[in-house]
Structure formats: C-alpha cells, structure tokens
Amino acid sequence: MGEEAPEFLFGSFISETQDYQTATTIGDKIYVVGGVGDGAKSSISIKIFDKFTGTWSIPTVLGTQPVPSKGHSAVILNNDRILIVKRDSSLDDFAWFLEVDTPFVKEHKKILGTEVVAWSKGVLGNGPKPIVISGPSGVGKGTLITKLMKEFPSTFGFSVSHTTRAPREKEIDGVHYHFTERNVMEKDISVGKFLESALVHGNLYGTSIEAVEAVTDAGKRCVLDIDVQGARSVRASSLEAVFIFICPPSFEELEKRLRARGTETEEQVQKRLRNARTELEQAKFPGLFDHFLVNDNLETCYENLKKILALDENFGASYESFMQNIAPVSHTISKTDSKVLLRIESNEIEAAGRNSYVLDVSSLKGGASGRTRGLNINHIYPSEDSLNDIKLL
Ligand code: ADP
Ligand code: 5GP
C-alpha cells in the first residue's frame, strides 16, 4: 500500500473560495473534481487517487466539459458515474455527469490505454428525437431536408457532418459539411468526438457529437443525412432517433437524377450506383429503419415525411418556470436510491416556500459523449411531513 490519500479527500464538500474541489470514492479510486480560476481562464480539473497503489493519475477527459461555476456538489450514481450539481447555475446547465466506468468510458480505456473519464451534460426531459434520413445518393434526401428547413426554420436544424471529400461548387464549409483532412478526422474519431463515421463512396464521412449538440442546444430537432452504415451505428449508440429511409421509384430514375445533378464524374456516378444497390439491400435489415418513403413525386413524398414527423414528435416538457425559480442559487444535495434532494439556499425562494427539489435520476438515457437526457425535477413544499418522506443518506 503506497501513499495515503489526504484526509480531506473523504467525503464531498463545497468551498466558498474560487478554487474548490469534491472527492468521490468509487471502489478503490477517489475522483477529485476541482474548479480552478474564474472567468475565461477557469477550468475543471480531474485527478484520480488509487487507494490500492497509493498513486495519483490524471485521466484523459472526453466529452464537452462544463464551464466551471462557483462550486459544485458530487453524488455517485450506479457506481459508474458522478452527478455534479453546479452552484449558481441555471437549470439548463446545473447538472453534469462525470462518467468513470460506463460502457463508453470502458471502451475508450481499452483504446487509449489510460485512465479515462467522460463528461456528459444532464438535460431535463427527453427532448425531441433526432431524425436520421438515409437513402442512396441522388434519391432526393438533400432536397427533402432543404424543404423541411425552409418551412420550419426554428423547429429543425441540420447536423453538419464532416467529410474528407472535396467541396462541390456551391457547397460552403461549415454549412453543408465541415470539409476536413483525413488524418485530422481520424484522430478526432479515435478520441471519441464522433457519434458515427463511415467510409462512403471512397471518402470518410462522420457525425461529430458537437454537430448534434449544436442543434439540440439551439432548442431544435436535429436532422441527420447519413448513409446506411451510419444509420446502423446511430441505432447502436445511445442516441434515440427516428430512422427514415428514402427509396427511389426505380433504379433508372435514380440514375437519371444522379446524372442530372451533374455534381459527380462518370466514375463517381458508377460507384454511387453500385453502392445504391447495396444500400437498398442493407436498408431491409430488420428493425433498422422505422419508416420507408418512396420519393417519386417530390411534393407527395414531402407531405408523407411531414406526417411521419408529426407522429413522432415528442417535445419535452417546458421547465421554464423552474428555471425562473431556481437560478441562480446555491444548494446542498443528498441522495436516496434514484432521487437526489436539492436544497436551495436562497432567502427569496424560502420565503416563497419552495426551497427543496427532487431530481429524479431513475430514467436516464443517452450519455457520453452526448447528453444524458431523462432528468426530471419536481419541487416539494418544505412542510416537515414532505421532507420526512425522503430519507436522507
Ligand atoms: P441526395 O441528397 O439524396 O443525394 P438530392 O437531393 O441532391 O439527392 O437530389 C438529387 C437530384 O434529384 C437533384 O437534382 C434533385 O433536384 C432531384 N430530385 C430530388 N427529388 C426529386 C423528385 N422527386 N423528382 C425528380 N427529381 C428529384
Ligand atoms: P454526398 O457526397 O453526396 O454529400 O454524400 C454521400 C453519402 O454520404 C450520402 O449517402 C450521405 O447520406 C452520406 N453522408 C453524409 N454525411 C454523412 C455522415 O456524417 N455519416 C455517414 N455515415 N454518412 C454520411
């Protein structure tokens, strides 16, 4: 047994100072999460103390990191992640998960051969499901998506993929694609920045976590235009989505459209047509796609697409009123099985009789390196009776 962990490490606490830290013990390890500095230069540091070997290590940190606040509390959940509740933060930024032993983290420990932790932002409610649209090249996916964005600009947002293929004449970097170098993209894929990636028609294409988060953070429903391999990866990921496959009315018509678009060389057209046959075959894989649409008449297909989306709409509950009630405040937290009791320390809120909230973490979905959804929050009126219902640990 090596070096002893300093005494302060046992138990979590909040300090009033700018530099603060919490220590959470899971098995043989103590995860020390600290905020350092203030303003633009601030950051959150993570150190791991191994009680068995008595050594400290600095893990590889994956995922988008939270902006530090003036303090935080830490609670273990399921022995594989730590819920970090930020102090003085609004409800769209107060809950974060530091994953320490989830499947995503385990996978990356293996790939990277280092200690790994991953951040995932906690989001209230389930939010609208992203929409994955696949189909052979030239079938009209882009045309349908453009129509959707034009008609509902504040409802839908496009997930801008990365690709190593060269831009077409009218394509804009950052709008149609993030055009990128292969070695850069491969490196980003290896450190978990991509939700999925695939070799399509000889080039690398991929959806970054950031691309999907940028859309959801803007409060929009994300639309992904990806190939069938990508759709399979997303199906296997933690992202719950609606999967739609667009079919051509015939192979001849597909070929006609692809040629009429005039964006590919003859060799590329041939390659895309060959791949189209494979994609049409693979799309039949049971349970992969939820809906199939034939894009014969464009207007009819578009109307059918809108019908599907209306069916699957699942906009999360609005928590704006909670937002107004809670933020900005400081807090203390305690946990029962799958409920976290948040005590809000604010005179104003106490006066209004609403100083305790129950954060329900029993239905979490998703996780690193995307968002963790399914958080629910309810306020409880602080009568002695209602507080007694919750057994504090
Ligand atoms: P994808 O994004 O699936 O590769 P595009 O949206 O670029 O396909 O469409 C390929 C070509 O077919 C474009 O020139 C587009 O204008 C045309 N197109 C799309 N849908 C139809 C349709 N229903 N009927 C005829 N042409 C279509
Ligand atoms: P294009 O080169 O015509 O823009 O796209 C070629 C194919 O790549 C299309 O089938 C499109 O759906 C697919 N694609 C575009 N972006 C992505 C992505 O991020 N991931 C995957 N897997 N496929 C993509």
Side-chain angles (χ1 to χ4, degrees), residues 141 161 165 168 177 196 198 205-207 225-227 230 272:
K141 302 178 297 294
S161 293
R165 85 150 161 76
R168 292 175 188 147
Y177 280 105
E196 62 78 31
Y205 292 76
T207 309
D225 173 348
I226 58 177
D227 86 319
R272 285 175 181 239

Side-chain angles (χ1 to χ4, degrees), residues 244-298:
I244 303 170
F245 189 82
I246 314 288
C247 311
S250 68
F251 221 79
E252 292 67 37
E253 174 64 17
L254 182 69
E255 184 165 357
K256 212 167 96 191
R257 286 183 198 171
L258 203 48
R259 287 191 197 289
R261 192 170 69 186
T263 49
E264 267 71 37
T265 61
E266 179 55 28
E267 193 190 337
Q268 270 293 327
V269 169
Q270 290 303 335
K271 190 181 246 180
R272 285 175 181 239
L273 287 173
R274 272 197 308 276
N275 291 342
R277 292 190 189 275
T278 319
E279 290 202 80
L280 288 165
E281 241 351 273
Q282 288 174 341
K284 294 179 196 156
F285 190 83
L288 179 54
F289 288 97
D290 303 305
H291 306 277
F292 291 84
L293 285 177
V294 179
N295 183 17
D296 191 351
N297 176 284
L298 182 61

Side-chain angles (χ1 to χ4, degrees), residues 75-78 80-85 94-97 122-125 333-342 357-365 372-378:
V75 180
I76 307 170
L77 295 180
N78 307 327
D80 63 3
R81 72 197 72 200
I82 301 166
L83 168 67
I84 300 285
V85 178
F94 80 109
W96 285 77
F97 294 90
V123 177
L124 291 168
I333 59 181
S334 331
K335 191 192 122 208
T336 61
D337 279 349
S338 53
K339 298 211 170 25
V340 176
L341 179 69
L342 273 167
Y357 289 77
V358 172
L359 186 63
D360 186 338
V361 289
S362 61
S363 316
L364 298 182
K365 286 187 185 134
T372 300
R373 300 189 181 277
L375 276 173
N376 283 301
I377 196 162
N378 291 301

Side-chain angles (χ1 to χ4, degrees), residues 89 211 275 304:
S89 297
N275 291 342
N304 288 334

